[in-house]
Amino acid sequence: MPAGFSRYILISFVLSLLCASFAGLAASKGILVLSPTFRYGPLLFFFLLSCALHYYLLRSTEGRPQRFVTAFMGVQALKMFVHLLVMTIVGFVFPAIAVHFIILYAVYYLLFTVVETTSLMRLFLKK
């Protein structure tokens, strides 16, 4: 297992729990009008996808530095495309909840991207 991966899993899990708590609180206050599936399902997707991509990026740091740069840019582009595709599909299939879902999904995307990038930066600063 690459160095720093288990720490990233823990941080990502805690972030998922915090996001779930805030989404549940927003739903209980009537701010967020989404079923639990649309509130918490994306969190599981984000957690699994970000852990898999983070593992891949950590593995790409072994060897040539150019390999990591190429892998990082490719992963970020692929990740953005997949998430935009999910938001578009949900927005067209479920138009009644589209606005709430897209806003919540965009917040999840931003938080997980910041955590992933920060984790990678800290790893490189230690080297």
Side-chain angles (χ1 to χ4, degrees), residues 26-38:
S28 70
K29 299 287 184 189
I31 299 169
L32 190 62
V33 185
L34 290 173
S35 69
T37 303
F38 288 105

Side-chain angles (χ1 to χ4, degrees), residues 87-116:
M87 285 191 290
T88 303
I89 290 171
V90 170
F92 281 122
V93 175
F94 303 101
I97 63 164
V99 173
H100 290 271
F101 179 81
I102 290 171
I103 290 172
L104 182 68
Y105 200 88
V107 169
Y108 289 164
Y109 178 80
L110 177 68
L111 291 173
F112 274 88
T113 301
V114 166
V115 166
E116 183 178 356

Side-chain angles (χ1 to χ4, degrees), residues 37-66:
T37 303
F38 288 105
R39 257 184 280 151
Y40 306 122
L43 279 175
L44 179 63
F45 179 63
F46 271 95
F47 177 75
L48 295 175
L49 185 65
S50 71
C51 286
L53 294 178
H54 194 76
Y55 180 81
Y56 172 73
L57 286 173
L58 289 176
R59 296 289 296 189
S60 73
T61 61
E62 301 164 358
R64 299 179 330 161
Q66 296 87 356

Side-chain angles (χ1 to χ4, degrees), residues 13-27 32 39-41 43-44 104 108 111-112:
F13 183 71
V14 169
L15 176 64
S16 296
L17 291 178
L18 286 172
C19 287
S21 299
F22 284 121
L25 182 64
L32 190 62
R39 257 184 280 151
Y40 306 122
L43 279 175
L44 179 63
L104 182 68
Y108 289 164
L111 291 173
F112 274 88

